[in-house]
Amino acid sequence: MPQPTVNLYYAVTFMPWSLKPLYALLADRLPLCGYHFRPWLALSSAGSACCYVLAGTYVDTIGGAFLVTLVRSICNACAEFMLGAVLVNEAREARGGSATTLQAAANACRFAGTFFSAAVGLLLYPCGTVHRRLPDRLVISLTACLPATVALLAATGVLPELRDTRSQRGEGGGGGE
C-alpha cells in the first residue's frame, strides 16, 4: 500500500472503536436467548476469527484488506465492549469484592495478553538475519484461534451473566439481572 493509503487504512480501521454506544444499544435492546452480553461476545469473536482466516487466505487487494479489516475491527470493538460490560456487571454484583480489584485484574489480563502476543511474535518473526519460521498468511490465519476460543467460551456459558427472563417475555431490557 502506498503511504497515504496506509494512513487512511488505519483511520478507517480505528473508527469502529468510537461506535461503542451503538454496541451498548444493541446489547440492551436486542438480547439473544435472554442474555445481553454473552451471545454478542460469542458472535463478534466468531466474526473476528472468520475475518482473520479470510485475511490470511483470500485477501489480495487493497479494497479487500480495507473491508475485511473494517469488519474485523467492528467485531473486535464489539467484543471488547461486551466483555467490559460483563466485567462491570460482575463488579456491581460482587459481594465483598472490589470494583477496583476487578479492574486491576482486567488490566493485568490485558497486559499478559499483550506480553504473550509479543513473545509469540518474536518467536515467529525473530530479529536479525534468521528467516521467518512460518509464512505471513499462515500466521494471520492462526491468529483466528484466539477469538475463536473466546467465542467458544462465551457460547458455552463460562462467562457469568444472569439470564434476563423479562426480555424473553417482552417486558423490556435490563442489565441481565
Side-chain angles (χ1 to χ4, degrees):
M1 276 186 218
Q3 187 59 44
T5 307
V6 171
N7 294 340
L8 179 62
Y9 174 82
Y10 282 114
V12 167
T13 59
F14 283 118
M15 284 187 336
W17 300 96
S18 64
L19 301 177
K20 285 188 177 184
L22 293 178
Y23 310 138
L25 186 63
L26 177 73
D28 192 42
R29 299 291 178 210
L30 195 57
L32 299 176
C33 301
Y35 295 102
H36 289 271
F37 308 116
R38 274 191 358 214
W40 290 113
L41 175 61
L43 288 172
S44 58
S45 295
S48 178
C50 290
C51 287
Y52 278 115
V53 171
L54 283 173
T57 56
Y58 295 112
V59 173
D60 57 1
T61 65
I62 292 174
F66 266 86
L67 179 63
V68 170
T69 304
L70 178 63
V71 172
R72 189 192 75 222
S73 293
I74 292 169
C75 291
N76 287 345
C78 183
E80 184 177 294
F81 172 81
M82 297 303 163
L83 194 55
V86 169
L87 181 67
V88 167
N89 278 343
E90 273 300 295
R92 189 179 61 200
E93 298 290 324
R95 307 222 189 291
S98 165
T100 54
T101 302
L102 196 53
Q103 183 66 34
N107 285 332
C109 287
R110 179 180 277 196
F111 172 76
T114 301
F115 180 76
F116 176 75
S117 296
V120 169
L122 284 173
L123 288 174
L124 294 175
Y125 298 109
C127 298
T129 59
V130 179
H131 296 291
R132 293 182 174 151
R133 290 183 170 81
L134 296 174
D136 296 341
R137 288 185 173 272
L138 179 59
V139 172
I140 293 169
S141 296
L142 288 174
T143 304
C145 294
L146 297 175
T149 301
V150 172
L152 183 66
L153 292 174
T156 57
V158 171
L159 287 177
E161 182 182 3
L162 295 176
R163 190 170 198 185
D164 186 357
T165 56
R166 294 175 298 165
S167 63
Q168 293 287 94
R169 298 189 305 258
E171 294 177 14
E177 46 220 13

